[in-house]
Amino acid sequence: MMLRCRVNLSTMVLLVVLQGATVVLFCGWYLRLAPCGAAAPSPGGKVHVVLLSSWRSGSSFLGQAFSQHPSVFYLMEPAWHVWTRLQKPGARSLRMAVRDLLRSVFQCDLSAMEAYLPDNHNVSTLFMWSHSRALCSPPACPLTPRGRLSNQTLCLQRCDARGLRGVQEACATYSHVVLKEVRFFELESLYPLLRDPALDVRIVHLVRDPRAVMRSREASAKAFLRDNAILLEQRSVPAGELQYQVMQEICRSHVRINERAVAKPPPFLKGRYKMIRYEDLARNPLEEIRAVFRFVGLDLTEPLGRWVYGVTHGKGKGSRKEAFDITSRNAADVSQAWRTSLPHEKVRRVQRVCQGAMALLGYRAVSSEQEQKRLDVDLLAPREPYQFSWLPANTPPPPPHPGQD
Ligand SMILES: *[C@@H]1O[C@H](CO)[C@@H](O)[C@H](O)[C@H]1NC(C)=O
Ligand SMILES: *[C@@H]1O[C@H](CO)[C@@H](O)[C@H](O)[C@H]1NC(C)=O
């Protein structure tokens, strides 16, 4: 009895010592794999970019700059599939579905996307698929070698395929997944993605002068009927009011998003949000794109720099019917086209419904038709005061007529 007990005791001591040693050894080995405390970066170090914008705000152009980059897997508007699949929905009830779809696509899982596609879908079923260089390059398609610029016309002809397996395989081979969305009107529904340790999310928020957006939307009003109804939660609105109510929603969303991210960002948003104005992009395309790329950890390659210069320094003054068209034209001229073509009455109404957004984003209102048409009057306030909160809130706005320089 005594003996057995002693044996048991020493055995127990031995076991405890062994167990302790095992824990120490195992933990040391384990710590080397995953340092304690540090939030693990996303597996594979992938960066996930939401290019957040609104209709007709130049997001196709900025999206193309991303898309052509050899490290980027780019898709346009996953939310389009959600918005068009359901009958008479409202934006509010769709946003969680959109958010979850984004999460899946960020993780290169296209099965969530397939839920919104018809049976027997092809790569070409994806919205504006040929705008994505990655879908025109190996392993999705042999056409465009990695590192070369994509030709959309050729891609359309040669890169369609059945199913999305190639798309999914392609996605996995890139360091950056960039998704363009014009169908988010707040940031809160993206919070779970920002907090998800499996993702490294950056938000690039592209805004544009609402008067220019108004002009561009008017040029193809029919294309927006369905989206308008969803945005306005299927409310019935008199025809003459519709565009202004839509603009008001869009402008409010810019304010909501920007204030949320800049004024009092939650900790997981810090350093993950960058706002960019279309007009700055049009005036200094190379500089602005380089800055956006730096923000997400991409470099501006030389061929890409030449491409950007080419598409922003062409001819044409915004007379083209489609803003989706990324053909060469003078981007700086296009951004001013509203001033000669949008009737002053409409300008005033847009200025009224978008007053808050214009003040926040640095777009100066015009007070007369003459001022509107005088293109030497610069309506773009320098961006700096609008990005830093150390300026007193009651700083007077810069004078509407800058000097003759
Ligand atoms: C794309 O390819 C087509 C057909 O070869 C050609 O006509 C067109 O000029 C190319 N486009 C660009 C932008 O290179
Ligand atoms: C899908 O692609 C296949 C060939 O890859 C083609 O034969 C078929 O017509 C396409 N279907 C659709 C709906 O585009």
Side-chain angles (χ1 to χ4, degrees), residues 94-134:
L94 292 181
R95 65 193 187 201
M96 297 307 164
V98 171
R99 187 266 317 280
D100 291 342
L101 178 60
L102 250 55
R103 188 205 299 268
S104 302
V105 177
F106 273 148
Q107 292 170 330
C108 298
D109 170 6
L110 273 289
S111 61
M113 180 75 100
E114 291 182 307
Y116 297 99
L117 304 181
D119 292 343
N120 299 320
H121 47 264
N122 280 0
V123 175
S124 61
T125 320
L126 294 177
F127 182 69
M128 300 254 181
W129 70 283
S130 63
H131 287 241
S132 170
R133 195 256 332 138

Side-chain angles (χ1 to χ4, degrees), residues 217 228 231-232 242-250:
R217 289 175 58 94
N228 290 346
L231 183 58
L232 298 179
L242 184 71
Q243 287 304 333
Y244 300 107
Q245 291 209 12
V246 169
M247 285 311 301
Q248 186 167 39
E249 276 309 311
I250 291 172

Side-chain angles (χ1 to χ4, degrees), residues 91-373:
R92 184 171 285 274
S93 59
L94 292 181
R95 65 193 187 201
M96 297 307 164
V98 171
R99 187 266 317 280
D100 291 342
L101 178 60
L102 250 55
R103 188 205 299 268
S104 302
V105 177
F106 273 148
Q107 292 170 330
C108 298
D109 170 6
L110 273 289
S111 61
M113 180 75 100
E114 291 182 307
Y116 297 99
L117 304 181
D119 292 343
N120 299 320
H121 47 264
N122 280 0
V123 175
S124 61
T125 320
L126 294 177
F127 182 69
M128 300 254 181
W129 70 283
S130 63
H131 287 241
S132 170
R133 195 256 332 138
L135 303 188
C136 318
S137 289
C141 174
L143 177 66
T144 315
R146 301 272 276 248
R148 294 274 183 79
L149 298 178
S150 173
N151 179 321
Q152 214 177 298
T153 314
L154 292 177
C155 183
L156 268 172
Q157 291 163 2
R158 304 214 200 133
C159 290
D160 194 10
R162 276 193 201 287
L164 301 185
R165 189 194 297 187
V167 177
Q168 190 155 303
E169 271 173 29
C171 179
T173 66
Y174 290 92
S175 63
H176 288 67
V177 179
V178 180
L179 303 178
K180 190 201 103 165
E181 268 312 336
V182 296
R183 291 173 172 85
F184 268 107
F185 304 92
E186 38 73 51
L187 278 184
E188 285 78 355
S189 62
L190 291 174
Y191 282 6
L193 304 192
L194 285 151
R195 281 195 296 243
D196 187 340
L199 299 175
D200 181 359
V201 176
R202 315 289 162 89
I203 295 168
V204 175
H205 185 202
L206 176 67
V207 300
R208 186 180 185 187
D209 189 324
R211 296 161 295 194
V213 173
M214 176 80 179
R215 174 195 165 271
S216 182
R217 289 175 58 94
E218 283 211 319
S220 44
K222 281 220 184 83
F224 293 107
L225 293 178
R226 190 188 168 90
D227 285 326
N228 290 346
I230 297 176
L231 183 58
L232 298 179
E233 302 288 337
Q234 310 288 344
R235 281 197 301 274
S236 73
V237 173
E241 292 298 305
L242 184 71
Q243 287 304 333
Y244 300 107
Q245 291 209 12
V246 169
M247 285 311 301
Q248 186 167 39
E249 276 309 311
I250 291 172
C251 284
R252 279 183 183 157
S253 79
H254 289 334
V255 173
R256 246 188 329 256
I257 291 171
N258 190 259
E259 284 189 336
R260 178 56 80 211
V262 176
K264 263 195 220 142
F268 51 83
L269 242 178
K270 289 220 172 84
R272 297 186 176 273
Y273 171 89
K274 183 177 172 60
M275 195 266 275
I276 173 171
R277 295 186 303 190
Y278 173 81
E279 293 74 16
D280 295 313
L281 189 59
R283 288 180 189 189
N284 288 308
L286 284 171
E287 209 174 289
E288 292 289 330
I289 286 180
R290 195 172 283 122
V292 173
F293 276 16
R294 199 182 307 124
F295 169 67
V296 304
L298 289 170
D299 53 344
L300 182 59
T301 61
E302 229 233 81
L304 198 45
R306 266 183 274 124
W307 176 85
V308 167
Y309 188 88
V311 296
T312 50
H313 290 77
K315 297 186 187 76
K317 296 214 188 294
S319 54
R320 284 177 188 273
K321 56 188 188 330
E322 282 291 335
F324 287 131
D325 213 5
I326 319 191
T327 44
S328 303
R329 51 192 179 164
N330 194 319
D333 286 346
V334 172
S335 76
Q336 291 266 61
W338 67 270
R339 296 184 67 172
T340 48
S341 59
L342 193 65
H344 184 62
E345 249 329 290
K346 290 188 175 176
V347 169
R348 291 182 83 96
R349 288 206 59 189
V350 176
Q351 289 182 167
R352 233 177 0 254
V353 297
C354 287
Q355 199 172 12
M358 288 178 60
L360 179 73
L361 305 173
Y363 298 115
R364 291 179 189 139
V366 294
S367 48
S368 68
E369 182 157 8
Q370 289 90 307
E371 194 183 6
Q372 178 185 334
K373 303 232 153 116

Side-chain angles (χ1 to χ4, degrees), residues 11-26:
T11 310
M12 249 168 70
V13 168
L14 184 68
L15 277 176
V16 166
V17 168
L18 267 178
Q19 193 196 352
T22 312
V23 165
V24 167
L25 280 174
F26 189 78

